[in-house]
């Protein structure tokens, strides 16, 4: 039952969103000040800023309306007796609903710059919102209307939050960079002073871990695959961590948006050349010192390999119509083993009417024989879907479809 006191508390009303944003920035700046000298002075500034952007990012939740699940119960209902002017418990019914979401759960407790006097009511539990529709008698249409009304209200509040948080990444990156550069300059000045004293014959003892040189190699984030439980009959195979998967998708989306805004010469590159442009930020962020590096196989695939297997596969295609799009899904599925559950399809559009292409893909993907559920919206032109493996219908995988508009050649 979702009728607890906690459930009846309002969403978007417990904390000040602006104060939370300031606290996030201050926490990042505080961590900059705590970095060891050697780490700060020997790390590329751009890579270090990106590290803090990744660590302190805040993703406004997106509701997965297609994943709503409910259960029906016979349950006493509190009704107001007009004659006796008191609340009485009478026989009734209730529907308990759960709505999955992707993003930061804490956003649901924060008040944005824009709000109204009637915030929605629901319980936040993990990555789901829970709420109850109750009454003496409830018609299906009444339940549907109340569910949609509540979800519309929550989406409205989330939209206000997206507007408020839209400037946060730029502000965070700017302030973190200023803090890094200011502390770096201060440390270098201090070292210059120490060297000057040494030149005057005053010996200064070195601190443990003191950075004696200032060489800026790029910081890399190593992909950490998680091993599944061992089975006596088969060797263990790695899987890809969900957080790492989201970081990979974020880098792909960022690179795609950069290409969208680049020169016409870049946007007119062929499929293979466009694909290769994504390898640069991926390998720059995750490194290629071990077997997990991003690499290319065949004509259009980008992979993360681990030992003898693959734990991430992405297909890159220029939009070529309905048939080619469905064939791309088939091609991607044909690459996957039972443990390959994190994948992506990147589509480049050169047709007039990008909106129509995106809508067509969202409709087409639901016609595929292995489609299970979705979309879960990632942004305006990117979604994730749940599919089953052709060789095992009970095994579910995630396919993210990311679309970018390169402009029409017409």
């Amino acid at each position: 039952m979702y009728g607890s006191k906690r459930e009846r508390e309002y969403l978007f009303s417990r904390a000040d969103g602006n104060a939370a944003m300031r606290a996030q920035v201050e926490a990042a700046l505080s961590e900059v000040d705590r970095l060891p000298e050697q780490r700060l002075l020997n790390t590329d500034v751009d890579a270090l800023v990106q590290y803090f952007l990744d660590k302190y990012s805040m993703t406004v939740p997106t509701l997965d309306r297609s994943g709503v699940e409910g259960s029906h119960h016979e349950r006493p209902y509190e009704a107001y007796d007009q004659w006796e002017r008191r609340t009485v418990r009478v026989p009734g019914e209730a529907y308990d609903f759960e709505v999955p979401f992707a993003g930061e759960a804490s956003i649901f407790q924060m008040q944005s710059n824009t709000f109204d006097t009637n915030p929605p009511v629901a319980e936040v539990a993990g990555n789901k919102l829970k709420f109850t529709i109750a009454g003496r008698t409830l018609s299906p249409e009444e339940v549907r209307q109340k569910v949609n009304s509540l979800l519309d209200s929550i989406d409205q509040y989330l939209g206000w939050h997206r507007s408020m948080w839209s400037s946060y990444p730029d502000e965070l990156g700017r302030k973190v960079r200023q803090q890094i550069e200011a502390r770096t300059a201060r440390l270098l000045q201090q070292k210059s002073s120490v060297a000057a004293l040494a030149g005057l014959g005053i010996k200064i003892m070195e601190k443990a871990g003191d950075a004696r040189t200032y060489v800026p190699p790029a910081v890399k984030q190593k992909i950490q695959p998680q091993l599944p439980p061992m089975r006596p009959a088969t060797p263990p195979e790695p899987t890809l961590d969900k957080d790492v998967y989201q970081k990979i998708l974020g880098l792909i989306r960022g690179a795609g948006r950069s290409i969208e805004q680049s020169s016409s010469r870049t946007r007119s590159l062929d499929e293979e050349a466009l694909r290769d442009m994504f390898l640069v930020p991926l390998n720059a962020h995750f490194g290629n010192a071990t077997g997990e590096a991003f690499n290319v196989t065949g004509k259009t695939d980008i992979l993360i390999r681990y030992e003898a297997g693959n734990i991430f596969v992405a297909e890159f295609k220029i939009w070529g119509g309905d048939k080619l799009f469905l064939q791309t899904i088939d091609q991607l599925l044909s690459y996957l083993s039972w443990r390959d559950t994190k994948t992506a399809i990147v589509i480049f559009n050169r047709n007039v009417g990008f909106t129509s292409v995106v809508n067509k893909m969202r409709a087409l993907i639901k016609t595929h024989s292995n489609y299970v559920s979705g979309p879960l919206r990632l942004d305006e032109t990117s979604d994730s879907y749940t599919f089953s493996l052709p060789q095992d219908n009970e095994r579910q995988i995630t396919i993210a479809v990311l679309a970018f508009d390169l402009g029409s050649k017409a």
Side-chain angles (χ1 to χ4, degrees), residues 253-322:
R253 288 156 62 194
R257 286 192 289 269
S258 296
I259 294 174
E260 285 181 327
Q261 298 168 6
S262 63
S263 66
S264 59
R265 182 176 180 181
T266 299
R267 288 183 281 113
S268 64
L269 292 173
D270 62 20
E271 191 175 279
E272 186 175 357
L274 287 169
R275 184 264 338 266
D276 289 345
M277 294 182 68
F278 288 79
L279 287 173
V280 176
L282 290 171
N283 274 322
H285 193 76
F286 288 100
N288 52 11
T290 60
E292 299 98 340
F294 288 80
N295 56 83
V296 181
T297 182
K299 189 71 174 173
T300 60
D301 308 334
I302 283 185
L303 308 175
I304 307 175
R305 291 189 181 277
Y306 185 82
E307 295 179 352
N310 304 322
I311 56 176
F312 173 79
V313 182
E315 271 293 306
F316 286 67
K317 297 289 184 184
I318 293 174
W319 173 255
D322 302 10

Side-chain angles (χ1 to χ4, degrees), residues 61-253:
T62 301
L63 300 183
D64 179 11
R65 291 204 181 201
S66 65
V68 176
E69 293 183 346
S71 58
H72 178 264
H73 307 274
E74 182 182 21
R75 186 180 296 159
Y77 176 70
E78 292 186 353
Y80 185 72
D81 190 322
Q82 296 283 355
W83 295 102
E84 298 187 10
R85 296 184 178 181
R86 65 186 181 92
T87 300
V88 296
R89 291 172 66 85
V90 298
E93 60 177 331
Y95 289 86
D96 294 335
F97 290 98
E98 296 184 352
V99 187
F101 65 85
E104 305 287 344
S106 60
I107 294 289
F108 288 110
Q109 310 304 336
M110 300 178 192
Q111 187 178 76
S112 68
N113 293 333
T114 306
F115 56 90
D116 57 27
T117 58
N118 187 32
V121 174
E123 175 187 353
V124 182
N127 67 335
K128 293 182 179 180
L129 288 182
K130 299 182 178 182
F131 60 91
T132 293
I133 306 297
R136 297 194 69 170
T137 57
L138 295 168
S139 68
E141 180 58 29
E142 182 182 8
V143 173
R144 185 190 67 82
Q145 184 178 8
K146 288 184 176 181
V147 169
N148 287 337
S149 177
L150 176 60
L151 296 184
D152 287 344
S153 176
I154 294 172
D155 272 332
Q156 183 181 44
Y157 270 78
L158 292 175
W160 288 334
H161 267 287
R162 287 189 187 92
S163 177
M164 187 183 80
W165 286 91
S166 62
S167 62
Y168 169 74
D170 290 338
E171 180 184 2
L172 175 63
R174 176 175 54 82
K175 290 188 174 181
V176 164
R177 183 180 296 277
Q178 290 173 349
Q179 194 85 344
I180 291 171
E181 292 175 346
R183 187 174 171 219
T184 297
R186 190 167 61 248
L187 287 172
L188 293 176
Q189 179 59 49
Q190 292 170 2
K191 292 182 182 300
S192 177
S193 298
V194 170
L197 282 175
L200 295 175
I202 301 176
K203 185 177 181 180
I204 305 296
M205 295 179 63
E206 291 185 5
K207 302 188 298 293
D210 187 31
R212 304 183 65 180
T213 59
Y214 180 32
V215 182
V219 65
K220 308 286 188 180
Q221 179 175 344
K222 182 182 177 183
I223 297 170
Q224 297 291 344
Q226 295 180 336
L227 292 175
M230 294 182 64
R231 293 186 177 186
T234 58
E237 297 179 38
T239 60
L240 188 63
D241 180 85
K242 289 182 179 179
D243 290 339
V244 175
Y245 178 56
Q246 291 302 321
K247 288 182 185 294
I248 292 170
L249 296 182
L251 288 169
I252 292 175
R253 288 156 62 194

Side-chain angles (χ1 to χ4, degrees), residues 390-410:
Q391 66 270 33
D392 185 350
N393 287 331
E394 296 182 6
R395 182 60 167 173
Q396 295 188 345
I397 64 166
T398 301
I399 299 180
V401 179
L402 317 171
F404 304 104
D405 187 31
L406 303 186
S408 172
K409 291 184 177 181

